[in-house]
Amino acid sequence: MLPLLSGRIQTRLFLLALAGSLVTLLLAPLLPGPVKDHFLVLGAVALFGVGWELVYHLLMQFRWEKDWPTLFGLVTAVPEGLVVWLALRPEPLAFCLHFGAVWLAVWLLANGPMRVPFLRWRFRGGRLL
Amino acid sequence: MGATGDLTPELLARSVWSDEDMAAYEIPFKDVPFITIGGGIGSFVTVDYLRIAGVPASDIAVLSNIGHPWQTYEYLTRVSQIPRAERIRSDSSSRPDNIWGFPSYALTEAWRDKSVKHLLNVLTEPVFADFWTPRAGTVFEGLEREAARIGYQDMLVKCAVRMVRRREAGGYFVVGSPEGGPKRVVYRARYVHIAVGYPGLRFLPDLQHFRERYGDYEHVVNAYEPHEHVYEFLKTRPGTVIVRGSGIVASRVLQRLIDDREAHGLGTRIVHIFRTYVDGPHGPVFMRRRGGHGWAYQGFNYPKSVWGGQLKAQMRRLEGAERAALYKKMGGSGANTPWRRKWQRQLAAGRAGGWYETRKGTVDSVVPGAHGQLVSTVGGEEIRSNYIIDCTGLEADIAESRVLADLLEHGGAGRNPLGRLDVERHFEVRGTASGKGAVYASGTATLGGYFPGVDTFLGLQIAAQEIADDLARRGFCRRIGPVRSTAQWVRWLLNRPI
């Protein structure tokens, strides 16, 4: 998928709400603290994420292809995770597990399976609406 | 007007025909609601979409002079030095045999080879690895499987299409000349789709002049015509080859020349003439493309975002001269090639060894020289060579296609800012509507429209999607929503026939 800014944001929010929530619910029994804390982390990833997408969109403008390579979608987990952790200071190990699992699920879905139900998504810059 | 059973000059001169005309001239016709003309990959992906959207095979006819959709493509890739085992220049998720692009070719090859190296390549491209691209053979095998699944052969009618004429009461008559059958076959259709591909080879004018003047079709060849004899000659004795052009085909031909040189220890000398010599990165900061040693570098034949990102959205909004200007800015199809490690290494070795040289400029003349050699004059310098390989492309005017020429003359079609066929955002040919009927076109004939990447696998699929959605709006088929899409994908995965 070659993203538009609106597509980036829509895809992120959609996948976090769907896959992110599912992963959080599945992992909740293994993680310390109440479930709502984990959803708070998820909310922060979504909220800060909108800001991050603006930054990525700007950086993408320096690329001739106006693309966002698969690897970028994976490694941006590092700065994003750090910011969320600094903001909420959850238990580090549990956070790494939870955040990592959510990120991986979203990244994997965005790199293929999303195209199965949403046939037009990749041609519309990631927009679902 | 009398009964003749055939098309008369009087009928041919009229742009609109009626059912009464057919009866009066005793011309039999068949009713098929949707006809696609061409039968290459453009027709195939469109039919694939419609079949998946629920259109029965009996409602579709593919009129074509080739027996299977990848026939022309395979021929052109093979002669331009991409046999089945070699990799084409196309993205992993551009799959003409799978409308979802999932699983991607890389995933399929990884599964088949039981190896993660393809996936690692996709993961790290284009930063740490060259763009991963599928083997030509993988593409053809996939097309074969999908063609069988959708009953493609049942829809195929082998014939040369002559014209599409509007029908007075709406829709169209399509006239073809079948192979080894009756003289004419006429269809009455509501919707017609035209995907006739490249109308012909384009030769550089000075090379065309040389071939015609001296009748020599052996020493001056186009990369898209069989030219194996050039490589065979070079195996027998050292020789010089001039390569003209700076796109993907030039890269392929150079690779073949150098591969042979390396494998057989040959003394081949290469002189590469660039009309436009790119000596480094070029363009403003937000439109900056890599380049060097003459080449403009780009992963695919357009910047990737024309197939779904920013450039696609931007172009969709532009008209006329503004659109033509953005096409120009993108550099369009043709004179660019991917930056591939192997090619970089080979050409660097050639420059260091002095057997690969470049020249900048246009060729003033090509004439026969002594000992069967050719003499090309470039900016006053005479370059002698044994062969010239023209790698400048497949472009030709759309009017060289008989059916498109007729559509321009009689069907109401016009040209876009780049001189090709003018289509709407949903690929309907502007000006050709007939009652409730519509003519669509996709592929290279439509370059210059609201969507730029038309002559590519993904571009053909984008066009097919737009066409299928438009036909759904007109009530011809169902719009493929998330549920149908998923259910059909499962059928694809299990290879269940439609």
Side-chain angles (χ1 to χ4, degrees), chain A residues 1-5 57-67 69-72 74 107-108 111-127, chain B residues 49 93 99-102 122-123 125-128 286-289 298-299 302-305 307-310 312-313 329-330 458 462 465 469 479-480 482 485-486 489:
Chain A
M1 187 267 286
L2 284 304
L4 291 170
L5 180 59
H57 183 71
L58 175 70
L59 293 175
M60 191 175 77
Q61 300 313 307
F62 291 94
R63 296 182 60 76
W64 161 257
E65 307 264 354
K66 305 286 181 278
D67 64 340
T70 315
L71 187 65
F72 291 11
L74 196 61
W107 177 78
L108 282 173
N111 276 294
M114 259 305 264
R115 305 200 286 260
V116 170
F118 305 110
L119 198 50
R120 295 161 191 87
W121 170 79
R122 65 169 165 160
F123 302 139
R124 303 188 69 238
R127 284 174 299 171
Chain B
Y49 248 99
S93 52
I99 66 171
W100 304 270
F102 180 76
V122 171
L123 174 65
E125 74 184 25
V127 187
F128 300 108
F286 290 123
M287 272 304 250
R288 197 158 178 79
R289 179 163 62 178
Q298 188 167 294
Y302 294 91
K304 272 189 106 174
S305 67
W307 291 284
Q310 257 171 253
K312 178 170 188 277
K329 220 163 136 189
M330 288 191 319
L458 206 51
I462 287 171
Q465 184 175 87
D469 283 353
R479 189 173 192 275
I480 308 173
S485 182
T486 309
W489 179 79

